[in-house]
Amino acid sequence: MSHSHFLSALKGENKLRPPVWLMRQAGRYLPEYQAMRKKYPFLEMCHTPELVKEVTMMPIKRFSFDAAILFSDILMIPEALNLGLRFEDGVGPIMDRPITSKEQIDSLPDIEMSVFSFIQEAIGLLKKELKVPLIGFAGAPFTVASYMVPKAKQFYLKNPEAFKKLLDRLTDITIDYLHIQVKAGVDAIQIFDSHLNLLSPKDVQEFSYPYLERIFKAFPHVSTILFSKGSHWPQLGHLPSKGLSCDWTQNLSEVRKAFPKKVIQGNLDPEILFAPKERVAQYVKECVEQMGGDPAYIFNLGHGILPNTPLESVETLIKTIDDLAFARSL
Ligand code: CP3
């Protein structure tokens, strides 16, 4: 791999423009993805290494992103736990056998890690072709559990110990699952705790933090990034992850002040990409400038890119960051 802005920023050593990739860049807003989805159901795509490779490469072929993110889903683990995962068009994920009792948590099956061999194979194929780093990922135990247990909060308020048992189980599996990805060659890992904005700081401390801590401690030599929604970064910044990815309600320079050693990623509101071109450029410029040439900054959105996002906006975003770097070097 030649020089990578992304890997330099992860080391805190980037002297050039900030690296750019977008959460959920491999998928739903791309016409070539929509065309492939007409031929294959989503889960079949996830399970087919050749298709995973193709979808992961789609945004890299179209735009000059600095990293690729593996095409997969945070719900591969509940699927392997036999909860009956399906995706219904226009509805999203459905579990046919959700967890509604303590007893079900005790009787979740053991998973043979070979069920994830498709991930290993897909990463192997990608590493042969990609010229930019590859990001692997998993969902955070709390966020994944909140898909497995309907009304998760009401459930944990009634059954905190059973819920923690589930979180512990998910943490063990997630660590093994990420080990597969690391061994197969991913260059960094992002953990998505997308639903953390639902919790109070106290509940974050009880139902998310310890499990995240266990995951990050298992990967001391891997570049790890934690994405969460909400305003919990003052707590989450103490986790042993290398980076923090923030949503657009956070002020990145405040995060930087509080955590001088973290890699910081974010945080453009994905809705901005529906604005006229000049406004997209203005917001992107302001987002980058708040970090003022920070060597440990990675540009991203504050959450996943939305369906129907105009492709020209993504082009404008990337060009704006290129032009800023050019202006700075004059
Ligand atoms: O980022 C990428 O481009 C890589 C692939 C990726 C997907 N899901 C593919 C996907 C990643 C990183 C995810 C993570 C994910 N999945 C999260 C965390 C990030 C976030 O957005 O909060 C969550 C909560 C999920 C669960 C999930 N998967 C939902 C709620 C849905 C339905 C809504 C949607 O995103 O369309 C999915 C389906 C899904 N995951 C699709 C894709 C490309 C769309 C499937 C389709 O084609 O119908």
Side-chain angles (χ1 to χ4, degrees):
M1 204 182 294
S2 52
H3 172 81
S4 159
H5 290 63
F6 178 72
L7 296 181
S8 302
L10 281 171
K11 288 190 212 131
E13 295 171 357
N14 183 33
K15 294 190 182 70
L16 306 166
R17 63 159 176 77
V20 183
W21 70 279
L22 304 182
M23 287 185 272
R24 312 295 293 271
Q25 71 187 17
R28 52 197 185 174
Y29 71 110
L30 290 172
E32 53 273 35
Y33 174 82
Q34 300 296 351
M36 193 186 270
R37 275 283 280 113
K38 290 211 175 101
K39 288 196 259 170
Y40 308 98
F42 175 65
L43 285 175
E44 183 179 335
M45 282 166 67
C46 290
H47 289 151
T48 313
E50 195 57 46
L51 296 179
V52 171
K53 184 197 82 177
E54 254 186 73
V55 182
T56 303
M57 304 282 294
M58 281 175 181
I60 304 301
K61 286 183 179 158
R62 191 183 263 275
F63 306 110
S64 51
F65 287 128
D66 296 298
I69 180 158
L70 185 68
F71 172 75
S72 188
D73 201 86
I74 66 165
L75 301 178
M76 291 294 112
I77 289 176
E79 187 193 33
L81 284 167
N82 196 25
L83 267 65
L85 175 68
R86 306 186 271 127
F87 282 87
E88 205 151 283
D89 284 338
V91 179
I94 296 174
M95 309 272 170
D96 284 330
R97 294 176 290 281
I99 292 180
T100 54
S101 71
K102 291 195 267 192
E103 293 68 35
Q104 273 169 287
I105 292 173
D106 290 327
S107 55
L108 282 171
D110 286 330
I111 305 183
E112 194 55 63
M113 279 296 139
S114 59
V115 297
F116 297 123
S117 61
F118 61 91
I119 287 278
Q120 189 183 339
E121 269 175 56
I123 294 170
L125 294 177
L126 277 160
K127 289 302 292 180
K128 278 191 218 141
E129 263 186 55
L130 272 175
K131 296 200 168 51
V132 292
L134 178 63
I135 304 167
F137 71 93
F142 172 73
T143 291
V144 173
S146 71
Y147 281 98
M148 297 167 71
V149 182
K151 303 207 167 77
K153 224 171 169 176
Q154 292 180 16
F155 185 91
Y156 79 57
L157 290 167
K158 269 188 237 151
N159 310 288
E161 293 317 313
F163 196 72
K164 285 179 194 171
K165 204 170 203 184
L166 174 61
L167 294 171
D168 253 322
R169 199 56 222 291
L170 288 174
T171 304
D172 291 338
I173 301 168
T174 303
I175 290 172
D176 290 347
Y177 179 67
L178 290 171
H179 271 303
I180 295 175
Q181 297 188 29
V182 170
K183 268 195 213 139
V186 298
D187 299 281
I189 281 175
Q190 179 154 313
I191 303 294
F192 288 87
D193 215 348
S194 310
H195 290 186
L196 219 53
N197 56 328
L198 303 173
L199 298 192
S200 67
K202 179 177 173 288
D203 283 2
V204 166
Q205 212 55 38
E206 192 167 352
F207 296 105
S208 181
Y209 192 101
Y211 307 95
L212 291 169
E213 184 171 44
R214 199 142 77 69
I215 293 172
F216 292 127
K217 278 193 173 157
F219 297 95
H221 305 299
V222 179
S223 295
T224 49
I225 303 172
L226 171 63
F227 167 73
S228 67
K229 280 201 79 192
S231 51
H232 298 297
W233 61 263
Q235 255 167 299
L236 302 173
H238 295 287
L239 281 165
S241 75
K242 193 153 228 184
L244 270 183
S245 191
C246 297
D247 78 12
W248 59 94
T249 64
Q250 313 310 317
N251 179 325
L252 293 190
S253 29
E254 272 178 35
V255 183
R256 165 55 74 229
K257 241 185 257 158
F259 295 104
K261 292 198 175 137
K262 284 272 171 184
V263 172
I264 293 177
Q265 181 175 273
N267 71 342
L268 189 80
D269 181 348
E271 296 270 1
I272 302 293
L273 299 181
F274 291 86
K277 196 172 169 177
E278 300 69 35
R279 198 161 267 270
V280 171
Q282 186 57 32
Y283 271 88
V284 169
K285 192 164 170 265
E286 284 166 14
C287 185
V288 171
E289 285 182 344
Q290 65 180 323
M291 293 306 282
D294 192 296
Y297 170 59
I298 299 168
F299 181 91
N300 208 313
L301 301 176
H303 199 183
I305 187 166
L306 295 162
N308 305 318
T309 296
L311 299 175
E312 308 77 65
S313 294
V314 179
E315 269 153 28
T316 302
L317 180 161
I318 292 174
K319 184 171 182 305
T320 304
I321 296 176
D322 262 344
D323 291 352
L324 276 173
F326 180 68
R328 200 184 293 145
S329 69
L330 284 180

